[in-house]
Amino acid sequence: MPVTGQRVVRRALGRRLTRLRTASGMSRRDVVEARLGISEPTLHRIETGKVPVTGANVRALCWLYGADQSITDALADLALGTSQQEWWDASPVIPEWFKLYVGLEASASRLFGYDGEVVPGELQTPEYARAVFGAEQPADSDVAERHINLRMQRQKTLFARTPPARLVTVLGEGALIRPVGGEQVMKGQIEHLRRLSREDTVDIRVLPFSVGAHAAMAGAFRILEFDDPDDPDVVYLESHVGALYLEEQAEVDEYRRIFDLISKDSVPVGEFRWTNRETA
């Protein structure tokens, strides 16, 4: 089974408990008035996956909502995972806002992404990653090296999964033309992409400059899909200082529509040919 991390387990448990409360017709205020020892702010944090949850609190809530014993036992068992750490949870190098994404990535069944300027972290070679982090001019070179090691660990977690996740990535041609790290680094990176694309579960594509204007010009994004109906699909948007997680069905559907459009205009990286480009 894929690893998930405590934040993903909290997210799943919170959604299940919210659905049980809603089905029972109770508001959060009703739960507080039942005097279970759970305040309204605490219940909000439980339902939104922000905090670890004890098995005792889960059983108390399930009793209040009228859940049967099998559901109660299953959710109480799930509560154990809300405080268990994976390697990324304990890392001081990974920003807090990114740790949820790493857990989602490690448990998603299908991942779709678009990057127009840079090869995404899960597909980078160590040399390429080193050049990317070097361009940010970190004050502490040791921190940059730890970031690179963690990125390689993240790749290992993603590609060693059983069963493997389905990964589809569309790269703008610019991501492969910009000589990040120099000519030799880019040659190694492009060969790495071509090698990965030969895997049955990996599809890496290139959106040529010749397409002109395209549907994803607003910027990079990821779509993560899950087989578990209690884990809604997510769109992930990242900035330098944080991230946005979109879960509304209309939002996810719109990004799927955009991804479908750029996919139709793209070609497999193994078939793409640069004209008069040394990196090709």
Side-chain angles (χ1 to χ4, degrees):
M1 294 294 292
V3 292
T4 57
Q6 56 180 304
R7 287 166 179 77
V8 181
V9 178
R10 292 174 188 176
R11 172 179 180 262
L13 178 59
R15 290 185 177 280
R16 289 163 171 82
L17 290 173
T18 300
R19 191 171 64 233
L20 285 176
R21 177 178 60 78
T22 303
S24 72
M26 302 185 74
S27 66
R28 287 176 178 161
R29 174 53 53 182
D30 293 331
V31 175
V32 173
E33 292 176 353
R35 300 184 181 278
L36 299 178
I38 301 174
S39 68
E40 190 164 353
T42 296
L43 182 61
H44 171 75
R45 289 193 289 270
I46 288 173
E47 291 187 345
T48 53
K50 298 295 193 302
V51 294
V53 190
T54 66
N57 278 346
V58 168
R59 290 186 182 277
L61 290 170
C62 286
W63 168 80
L64 184 64
Y65 302 152
D68 64 31
Q69 192 62 46
S70 63
I71 292 176
T72 299
D73 290 342
L75 296 189
D77 288 342
L78 193 60
L80 296 174
T82 64
S83 58
Q84 293 178 344
Q85 292 188 333
E86 296 293 346
W87 62 267
W88 57 85
D89 291 314
S91 172
V93 177
I94 300 178
E96 287 298 316
W97 51 264
F98 190 61
K99 289 180 179 178
L100 174 59
Y101 175 81
V102 178
L104 292 172
E105 180 185 71
S107 57
S109 302
R110 293 164 297 280
L111 303 97
F112 305 89
Y114 166 72
D115 279 280
E117 287 292 320
V118 63
V119 175
E122 64 269 21
L123 302 177
Q124 292 177 3
T125 64
E127 295 78 15
Y128 184 97
R130 190 167 289 108
V132 170
F133 282 114
E136 296 177 4
Q137 300 182 12
D140 188 339
S141 60
D142 290 339
V143 171
E145 200 62 30
R146 288 200 294 272
H147 270 292
I148 295 166
N149 291 336
L150 288 168
R151 182 157 291 182
M152 296 304 107
Q153 176 64 45
R154 178 179 150 214
Q155 291 182 15
K156 181 179 178 181
T157 299
L158 176 62
F159 290 109
R161 284 173 45 184
T162 303
R166 172 67 173 162
L167 177 66
V168 184
T169 298
V170 175
L171 299 174
E173 184 175 350
L176 303 183
I177 292 301
R178 186 181 300 278
V180 175
E183 178 184 337
Q184 292 305 312
V185 169
M186 283 308 300
K187 282 185 175 180
Q189 178 63 69
I190 291 171
E191 178 53 38
H192 180 64
L193 293 174
R194 288 171 171 162
R195 185 165 54 249
L196 284 175
S197 69
R198 298 184 193 112
E199 299 291 331
D200 292 339
T201 57
V202 178
D203 184 8
I204 301 172
R205 309 180 66 82
V206 181
L207 187 65
F209 285 139
S210 59
V211 169
H214 59 84
M217 294 180 74
F221 62 89
R222 312 282 177 86
I223 305 171
L224 299 95
E225 296 185 351
F226 304 84
D227 287 336
D228 190 335
D230 288 311
D231 285 329
D233 300 336
V234 176
V235 171
Y236 173 79
L237 306 173
E238 183 178 311
S239 72
H240 286 287
V241 295
L244 185 62
Y245 296 83
L246 306 178
E247 297 182 345
E248 294 296 328
Q249 190 64 54
E251 296 170 332
V252 177
D253 286 345
E254 176 62 11
Y255 273 91
R256 285 199 185 99
R257 187 185 72 83
I258 292 170
F259 190 81
D260 287 344
L261 288 172
I262 61 174
S263 293
K264 292 175 183 177
D265 287 332
S266 66
V267 297
V269 68
E271 298 176 11
F272 187 74
R273 294 293 178 267
W274 290 262
T275 302
N276 297 323
R277 302 283 188 176
E278 291 185 357
T279 53

